[in-house]
């Protein structure tokens, strides 16, 4: 057997998605309320970007970290350009895909979990709190009032997702899990980013752990990419949907809620696959450039 044969084989997309989902479910915080929920078999799952919050949470995090000199403007623009080109042209360099997957979030390598959590609290106050959609927050509160638990499910780092959930009084959050050893980030992900199929895996893993009946659960998202999560539950709802999700929701008879103005909703539907989508998926991944230059 040659040395090449002994090297570990890369996991395929399904394996990475499953691992990312299971890691997110395992890392999620469960509510610390003294009394248990009165309806423990049902829950609600909310996407964050453009569903709970206007814009991409990873972008607001990146901007806040940029102001604190974590990386350069050139780094973030380079990452956004690669993804925007793919979204518009429809062709992505396979090397870019592999690079983004292997180095996503490595810009925090060497930093501590405590440091990111502390900065995350500051960044939420300065760049995220005022962007929460009141309508979506009211929907989440309705589930809480009915004695159900409410989790966020997002591609953003789980540390930031948990801050958002805590500030909104929700049960907990599932997000992308970055590996850390003794409280220091290694620059690697556990599995993949919590996106698309990985969100479905996270919800299934959490439901199994918490004894949830997914037929009685609800899920909310703005993106067609979240069909793996939306299709799992008995009560899916499209919030501020992109064009593909709106069409699918209408075909399936799903609820649709749009909290944008008419003009903003139209514009969002036309460019949902462009810059807005790019922000969540690869701004963080491209920020790894700084980590390699340090």
């Amino acid at each position: 057997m040659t040395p090449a044969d002994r090297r570990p084989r890369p996991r395929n997309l399904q394996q990475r998605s499953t691992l990312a989902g299971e890691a997110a479910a395992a890392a999620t915080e469960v509510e610390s309320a003294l009394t248990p929920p009165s309806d423990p078999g049902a829950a609600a799952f909310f996407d964050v970007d453009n569903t709970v919050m206007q814009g991409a949470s990873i972008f607001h995090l990146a901007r806040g970290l940029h102001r604190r000199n974590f990386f350069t403007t050139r780094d973030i623009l380079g990452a956004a350009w690669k993804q925007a080109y793919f979204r518009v042209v429809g062709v992505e360099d396979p090397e870019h895909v592999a690079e983004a997957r292997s180095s996503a979030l490595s810009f925090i390598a060497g930093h501590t979990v405590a440091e990111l959590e502390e900065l995350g609290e500051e960044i939420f106050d300065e760049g995220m709190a005022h962007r929460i959609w009141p309508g979506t927050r009211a929907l989440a509160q309705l589930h809480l009032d009915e004695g159900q638990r409410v989790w966020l499910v997002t591609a953003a780092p789980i540390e930031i997702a948990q801050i958002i959930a805590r500030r909104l009084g929700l049960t907990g959050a599932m997000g992308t899990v970055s590996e850390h050893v003794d409280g220091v980030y290694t620059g690697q992900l556990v599995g993949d980013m919590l996106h698309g199929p990985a969100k479905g895996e996270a919800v299934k893993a959490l439901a199994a752990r918490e004894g949830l009946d997914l037929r009685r659960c609800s899920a909310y998202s703005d993106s067609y990419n979240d069909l793996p999560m939306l299709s799992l539950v008995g009560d899916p709802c499209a919030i501020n949907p992109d064009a593909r999700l709106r069409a699918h929701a209408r075909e399936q008879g799903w609820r649709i809620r749009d909290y944008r103005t008419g003009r903003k909703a139209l514009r969002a539907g036309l460019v949902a696959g462009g810059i807005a989508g790019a922000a969540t998926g690869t701004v963080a991944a491209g920020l790894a450039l700084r980590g390699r230059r340090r």
Side-chain angles (χ1 to χ4, degrees):
M1 181 180 292
T2 66
D5 293 329
R6 290 194 294 268
R7 284 198 293 266
R9 297 180 184 274
R11 295 185 176 92
N12 62 32
L13 178 59
Q14 180 58 45
Q15 290 174 319
R16 290 194 303 270
S17 295
T18 299
L19 181 57
E22 292 175 348
T28 188
E29 294 179 344
V30 179
E31 80 283 357
S32 57
L34 295 179
T35 57
S38 58
D39 189 3
F45 303 96
F46 285 79
D47 170 52
V48 172
D49 298 343
N50 294 318
T51 302
V52 169
M53 175 187 301
Q54 183 179 2
S57 54
I58 193 67
F59 174 77
H60 300 310
L61 171 64
R63 183 168 62 177
L65 293 177
H66 173 259
R67 289 172 176 169
R68 291 160 174 83
N69 300 316
F70 266 61
F71 47 82
T72 69
T73 301
R74 181 178 179 180
D75 291 339
I76 194 170
L77 291 178
W81 160 248
K82 288 181 182 179
Q83 183 67 3
Y85 179 84
F86 163 66
R87 298 282 182 170
V88 174
V89 178
V91 177
E92 189 171 48
D93 187 338
E95 292 184 3
H96 289 175
V97 177
E99 180 182 3
R101 181 176 294 122
S102 64
S103 63
L105 301 180
S106 68
F107 71 104
I108 58 175
H111 293 281
T112 67
V113 175
E115 182 182 9
L116 184 61
E117 290 175 342
E118 180 180 357
L119 293 178
E121 296 280 359
E122 297 177 4
I123 293 170
F124 177 86
D125 287 333
E126 70 184 27
M128 299 183 187
H130 65 285
R131 299 180 185 276
I132 301 297
W133 293 108
T136 307
R137 186 170 187 176
L139 286 173
Q141 188 61 49
L142 284 175
H143 286 282
L144 293 172
D145 292 343
E146 292 175 357
Q148 299 176 4
R149 289 170 287 180
V150 177
W151 279 279
L152 300 180
V153 188
T154 175
I158 192 166
E159 294 82 2
I160 302 303
Q162 289 173 341
I163 290 172
I164 298 172
R166 185 167 60 252
R167 292 299 192 91
L168 298 182
L170 308 182
T171 303
M174 294 184 284
T176 297
V177 178
S178 297
E179 181 185 70
H180 53 84
V181 177
D182 296 329
V184 179
Y185 291 108
T186 67
Q188 301 297 318
L189 295 181
V190 179
D192 213 332
M193 299 190 78
L194 196 69
H195 176 76
K199 286 189 177 183
E201 296 294 338
V203 169
K204 286 190 290 186
L206 185 67
R209 190 186 80 188
E210 299 295 320
L212 299 173
D213 180 355
L214 289 175
R215 294 170 299 180
R216 298 185 56 240
C217 291
S218 303
Y220 300 82
S221 178
D222 72 299
S223 175
Y224 185 84
N225 291 327
D226 283 342
L227 280 186
M229 176 178 71
L230 293 168
S231 300
L232 282 176
V233 301
D235 178 35
C237 180
I239 301 286
N240 304 327
D242 60 37
R244 293 179 70 191
L245 180 59
R246 183 183 294 274
H248 185 85
R250 285 175 173 169
E251 290 175 0
Q252 299 298 318
W254 294 355
R255 289 182 295 144
I256 299 175
R257 298 288 184 271
D258 203 324
Y259 302 119
R260 303 164 295 188
T261 64
R263 179 176 295 180
K264 287 182 179 179
L266 175 62
R267 183 175 59 189
L270 293 174
V271 302
I275 302 303
T280 301
T282 59
V283 168
L287 300 182
L289 293 170
R290 178 183 184 273
R292 292 197 298 277
R293 292 173 182 166
R294 294 167 71 181

